[in-house]
């Protein structure tokens, strides 16, 4: 079997494109690279959160925002967000609204320049094997859970929630 390499979009800290680089190289260095996150809300204003699969190499069995993903070399943020929605949750045709453009260090060798999108969706959701569970939570329930059990969440999701909902 031939192992395919995934080329990620490497950028400088101001999001200027530099080159494509193998995912393993990027995640074992301090190279800035592009990522996306999506907050999917239902019509009642509840946020879809996902429990990451136990098979994930980073932060398995922790809650994450609706979608998180890496931008491939030559791919645009919104295209990546749409692709990840289909791949991970089976959501097609959602109207994505860009909300935040930011830099974040996710770990000692994981430097991201990201865009956060949001959408409202009221259809069928079909999680793939990367997702163990999904649930919609209202802001009050999410805040309570985050206060009691912050270790249940990926560190980037905690930060995104603080920025998005102006929590502290």
């Amino acid at each position: 079997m031939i192992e395919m390499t995934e080329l990620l979009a490497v950028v400088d800290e101001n999001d200027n494109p530099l080159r494509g680089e193998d995912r393993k190289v990027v995640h074992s260095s301090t190279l800035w690279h592009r990522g996306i996150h999506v907050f999917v809300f239902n019509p009642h204003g509840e946020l879809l959160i996902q429990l990451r699969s136990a098979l994930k190499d980073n932060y398995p069995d922790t809650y994450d925002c609706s979608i998180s993903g890496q931008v491939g070399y030559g791919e645009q943020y919104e295209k990546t967000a749409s692709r990840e929605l289909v791949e991970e949750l089976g959501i097609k045709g959602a109207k994505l609204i860009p909300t935040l453009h930011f830099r974040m260090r996710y770990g000692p060798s994981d430097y991201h320049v990201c865009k956060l999108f949001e959408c409202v969706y009221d259809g069928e959701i079909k999680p793939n094997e990367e997702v163990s569970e999904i649930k919609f939570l209202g802001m009050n329930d999410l805040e309570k859970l985050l206060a009691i059990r912050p270790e249940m969440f990926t560190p980037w999701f905690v930060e995104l929630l603080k920025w998005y909902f102006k929590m502290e």
Side-chain angles (χ1 to χ4, degrees), residues 6-10 17-21 70-76 80:
E6 181 182 4
L7 290 181
L8 300 182
V10 174
L18 299 176
R19 66 181 181 279
E21 191 65 71
Q70 311 280 322
V71 178
Y73 181 62
E75 197 173 33
Q76 299 301 312
T80 301

Side-chain angles (χ1 to χ4, degrees), residues 21-31:
E21 191 65 71
D22 181 85
R23 179 187 188 103
K24 291 178 183 173
V25 172
V26 170
H27 286 163
S28 63
S29 70
T30 58
L31 292 171

